[in-house]
Amino acid sequence: MEFAEVVGIRRSIRFFDPDRAVEREKIQKILEAMRLGSCAMNAHWLRAIVVYRDDLAPETFEALKLPVAGVVMELAPVHIYCYGDLSVIQNDHGKQPKLLIDMGALAPSHGWTHRFVDEFVWPMLLDPMSKSPQYPIAMAFDNGGCATQGLLMAYEEGLGACWTAFNIPVAKEAFGVPDHWVPHYVLNLGYPLESREAGGQRPRPPFEDLYFEGRVGNPFRRDEKVVEELKRRKMIQASAPFPNRQQELRDLARRLGLPE
Ligand SMILES: Cc1cc2nc3c(=O)[nH]c(=O)nc-3n(C[C@H](O)[C@H](O)[C@H](O)COP(=O)(O)O)c2cc1C
């Protein structure tokens, strides 16, 4: 699938075929896509634990589910729990930027030398940043980007997915999560039982309310020609609600024995 179409067809899928396993190789491809995401200073804070629903003890699974996520987790055969490892920067101690210099990614033309890392980047940026209260928030930005690459890969592989919250203390205990890992969300994965369109693209705030040009308050005006091109390339697709969606939801619920 073209990248634009992968972006376009992605929407949170909440009805999975509960009995159709996800191939391990597809899970690996999702993790590979996460690993290739961009991170400040190549720090790579994202950690993920792949959990197979059917391997969980029933009482553990029950405790992991939250009211906003329970049915999704029950239907998805694979759950990828995502965390951020707060120890990365202090353990690395500036080695990653030096590696980027040695690999020719960061260039002397841009001021990058080992000395610059030792005298400025480590003591003035990385060390204080990793000790500041904003550190977990800053790290979450990078992790969201990496995790989203994995999310998109799931759709490229014909799967559906939905992020959900989970019971953090129960997961910590059940999966042996270290104290220095900050919880994010769990990616529920499986083969969609609902239609590929899943009722259409979900509503978003108006484009011009979100993005600006030059100055806040000066909206970045959409060019309708671009919108038309993206429609042709299936990135911008028909939006919800679809007229038959409520019927589809009832049919799915009946098929799965869920309340209508
Ligand atoms: C970080 C994050 C957490 C989310 N948590 C939940 C959740 O707990 N339960 C749920 O049903 N959907 C959850 N979602 C899915 C959003 O509700 C979803 O993105 C929203 O419905 C917009 O639609 P779309 O993803 O289909 O485009 C989460 C999404 C993100 C990115």
Side-chain angles (χ1 to χ4, degrees):
M1 233 189 298
E2 198 203 342
F3 173 74
E5 186 176 355
V6 178
V7 172
I9 198 63
R10 188 220 61 78
R11 61 211 61 182
S12 296
I13 292 295
R14 295 184 174 86
F15 292 88
F16 301 96
D17 183 340
D19 302 319
R20 185 165 172 199
V22 175
E23 297 83 346
R24 196 171 179 281
E25 63 175 65
K26 293 197 174 184
I27 300 168
Q28 182 182 340
K29 287 178 196 173
I30 290 165
L31 300 173
E32 300 275 3
M34 289 183 180
R35 195 171 75 107
L36 291 180
S38 182
C39 287
M41 293 295 153
N42 213 20
H44 289 278
W45 290 273
L46 186 64
R47 302 288 179 269
I49 310 162
V50 176
V51 174
Y52 302 96
R53 177 199 59 199
D54 295 346
D55 290 351
L56 288 167
E59 60 282 6
T60 305
F61 187 36
E62 223 28 64
L64 279 168
K65 293 185 289 190
L66 297 179
V68 290
V71 178
V72 173
M73 292 179 80
E74 277 165 25
L75 296 177
V78 176
H79 309 151
I80 304 183
Y81 288 82
C82 290
Y83 291 84
D85 181 348
L86 288 172
S87 71
V88 167
I89 294 289
Q90 286 298 325
N91 287 344
D92 182 68
H93 219 270
K95 284 201 289 291
Q96 281 299 322
K98 287 182 183 169
L99 185 67
L100 290 176
I101 293 168
D102 296 342
M103 297 292 136
L106 294 174
S109 56
H110 293 51
W112 288 98
T113 60
H114 282 220
R115 194 170 157 195
F116 178 61
V117 173
D118 287 335
E119 293 181 358
F120 177 73
V121 176
W122 173 256
M124 307 298 282
L125 292 180
L126 292 177
D127 187 38
M129 188 266 275
S130 69
K131 292 171 180 162
S132 84
Q134 282 79 37
Y135 175 44
I137 301 166
M139 171 192 72
F141 183 89
D142 307 55
N143 289 354
C146 290
T148 298
Q149 293 202 173
L151 172 67
L152 292 174
M153 191 68 189
Y155 290 78
E156 166 75 9
E157 290 294 316
L159 300 164
C162 185
W163 289 110
T164 63
F166 60 91
N167 186 316
I168 291 166
V170 173
K172 187 173 187 331
E173 176 69 24
F175 311 135
V177 177
D179 289 338
H180 56 276
W181 285 19
V182 176
H184 295 319
Y185 291 88
V186 55
L187 186 62
N188 298 275
L189 275 180
Y191 282 93
L193 208 57
E194 50 192 307
S195 60
R196 207 170 115 90
E197 289 72 24
Q201 274 185 336
R202 281 69 196 264
R204 294 290 188 261
F207 187 90
E208 282 83 2
D209 288 359
L210 302 176
Y211 311 117
F212 305 95
E213 209 160 14
R215 190 175 170 79
V216 177
N218 183 35
F220 188 107
R221 299 257 172 235
R222 262 178 144 182
D223 179 343
E224 285 307 316
K225 283 205 296 295
V226 175
V227 172
E228 286 311 312
E229 181 202 323
L230 293 177
K231 284 182 180 170
R232 277 196 303 279
R233 293 170 65 189
K234 301 185 182 155
M235 185 170 127
I236 299 178
Q237 302 187 4
S239 31
F242 277 16
N244 60 352
R245 179 61 172 171
Q246 292 306 321
Q247 187 59 47
E248 184 184 18
L249 292 178
R250 282 192 291 276
D251 292 346
L252 285 163
R254 206 165 305 138
R255 189 165 161 192
L256 291 163
L258 296 168
E260 291 176 41

